[in-house]
Amino acid sequence: MLKVRVLGSGAGGGFPQWNCNCDNCTGVRTGSLNAKSRTQSSIAISSDGEEWLLVNASPDIRQQIIDFPALQPARSKRDTGIRAVLLIDSQIDHSTGLILLRENSRPLEVYCTRMVHQDLTTGFPVLNMLEHYCGVVWNEIPINGTSFEIVGIDGLVFTALALTSKAPPYSPHREDPHPGDNIGIHVQDKTTGRSMFYAPGLACIEPHLEPAMHASDLLLVDGTCWTDDEMERRGVGTRRSLTMGHLPQSGTGGMIEALKPFQRQRKVLIHINNTNPMLVEDSPERAELSGVGIEVSHDGMAIEV
């Protein structure tokens, strides 16, 4: 059975963000809002509950391991339940956690696209840095539709789908987007046939994504902002959600509307920015989502597909 654990459900900076005093962050700190704190987005996937694939290595990985004992099973003096790491992009909030895994007793098995590998060996050379510690075995993720398997994560088949996106500011090709800068992942259990689609950074549902999404039983997708101008509304910046590569939930063409064709799928939002009003569990925004069958993930959420 395909098992999914939400290790972190927040966007970059988590919730509350360390330097933010917006209504959400202030409210969760003081306890005046009905909201949960969140670490930065990452999930773990397994077929047997013992060997786990870490999907994105958050800067909060140490706390996430503490909060999920299966990732530290203590079968020997030095041990981990993390068999491999898969990166969907090279963003700092999805790759910095690799540094915290440097004490691994064997080279880290890292799965990523060629574009992500380029970024993480040049502009942000974390993979080079790890060569001075545990070392890295790079496994290239194909983006031509070819499925692949991960050694040790038995019974699961993975397929990457390239997403329209921009590479991080430190990428050598920041202003020259390439396929593979950001991907979504379709994961299928070979025994049950059930599957999921994971895309925490989704600017739009492109036509080539629709077959994989319709074939999936779980859609775990981008929940960053409620409105395109949310940062400005909250008084913390002027960057737009769509400019950052995230489809807002509300409004014409937003995520709520975009997910309407997927009636049989379980729909869960992840990568939620600290400014998003749906973080408040008794908010009108949360009620609107519940009314159309869309869930909001939280740290520690366990899903069996």
Side-chain angles (χ1 to χ4, degrees), residues 87-91 95 110-127 138-144 160-183:
L87 304 174
I88 59 124
D89 58 36
S90 56
Q91 296 289 343
S95 57
V110 175
Y111 289 74
C112 65
T113 67
R114 182 167 295 277
M115 288 297 101
V116 170
H117 183 266
Q118 181 188 94
D119 291 347
L120 298 183
T121 52
T122 55
F124 180 39
V126 59
L127 298 183
W138 173 44
N139 302 270
E140 183 177 356
I141 294 179
I143 56 172
N144 61 359
L161 298 100
L163 306 179
T164 299
S165 183
K166 286 182 76 171
Y170 42 80
S171 171
H173 59 273
R174 166 69 169 176
E175 302 303 329
D176 180 23
H178 284 63
D181 287 337
N182 184 23
I183 58 172

Side-chain angles (χ1 to χ4, degrees), residues 13-258:
F15 177 59
Q17 184 172 303
W18 67 278
N19 66 339
C20 186
N21 296 298
C22 70
D23 292 344
N24 276 1
C25 290
T26 298
V28 75
R29 283 194 191 100
T30 62
S32 62
L33 286 182
N34 182 15
K36 297 182 177 74
S37 296
R38 284 167 161 81
T39 58
Q40 295 169 85
S41 90
S42 175
I43 65 172
I45 297 174
S46 178
S47 59
D48 61 9
E50 295 184 7
E51 302 292 340
W52 292 84
L53 172 68
L54 181 65
V55 185
N56 293 331
S58 158
D60 300 316
I61 184 61
R62 179 182 177 276
Q63 186 60 49
Q64 292 168 349
I65 292 171
I66 291 171
D67 292 340
F68 186 37
L71 297 185
Q72 174 43 273
R75 296 164 296 196
S76 60
K77 290 290 185 181
R78 294 281 182 136
D79 194 21
T80 178
I82 299 171
R83 189 60 183 262
V85 183
L86 186 153
L87 304 174
I88 59 124
D89 58 36
S90 56
Q91 296 289 343
I92 203 164
D93 53 323
H94 288 156
S95 57
T96 306
L98 292 171
I99 298 173
L100 302 180
L101 302 179
R102 64 189 180 275
E103 296 93 354
N104 205 43
S105 57
R106 59 177 184 266
L108 277 176
E109 295 282 346
V110 175
Y111 289 74
C112 65
T113 67
R114 182 167 295 277
M115 288 297 101
V116 170
H117 183 266
Q118 181 188 94
D119 291 347
L120 298 183
T121 52
T122 55
F124 180 39
V126 59
L127 298 183
N128 299 347
M129 294 161 63
L130 286 173
E131 292 298 342
H132 298 281
Y133 296 93
C134 61
V136 173
V137 176
W138 173 44
N139 302 270
E140 183 177 356
I141 294 179
I143 56 172
N144 61 359
T146 302
S147 297
F148 62 97
E149 297 186 32
I150 293 177
V151 175
I153 309 297
D154 298 332
L156 301 182
V157 179
F158 300 80
T159 308
L161 298 100
L163 306 179
T164 299
S165 183
K166 286 182 76 171
Y170 42 80
S171 171
H173 59 273
R174 166 69 169 176
E175 302 303 329
D176 180 23
H178 284 63
D181 287 337
N182 184 23
I183 58 172
I185 290 286
H186 180 261
V187 187
Q188 184 170 38
D189 186 310
K190 290 195 290 186
T191 301
T192 66
R194 294 177 65 81
S195 64
M196 65 174 288
F197 175 75
Y198 175 62
L202 196 58
C204 63
I205 296 180
E206 301 170 78
H208 73 280
L209 303 181
E210 293 178 8
M213 293 178 69
H214 278 294
S216 298
D217 299 284
L218 168 68
L219 303 178
L220 189 55
V221 295
D222 196 333
T224 306
C225 292
W226 185 257
T227 61
D228 188 38
D229 63 348
E230 180 174 295
M231 304 285 282
E232 187 173 356
R233 289 184 184 216
R234 292 287 183 163
V236 297
T238 58
R239 297 181 70 194
R240 296 279 175 144
S241 181
L242 286 167
T243 301
M244 295 186 291
H246 300 286
L247 184 64
Q249 281 86 65
S250 64
T252 303
M255 188 66 76
I256 294 173
E257 183 178 292

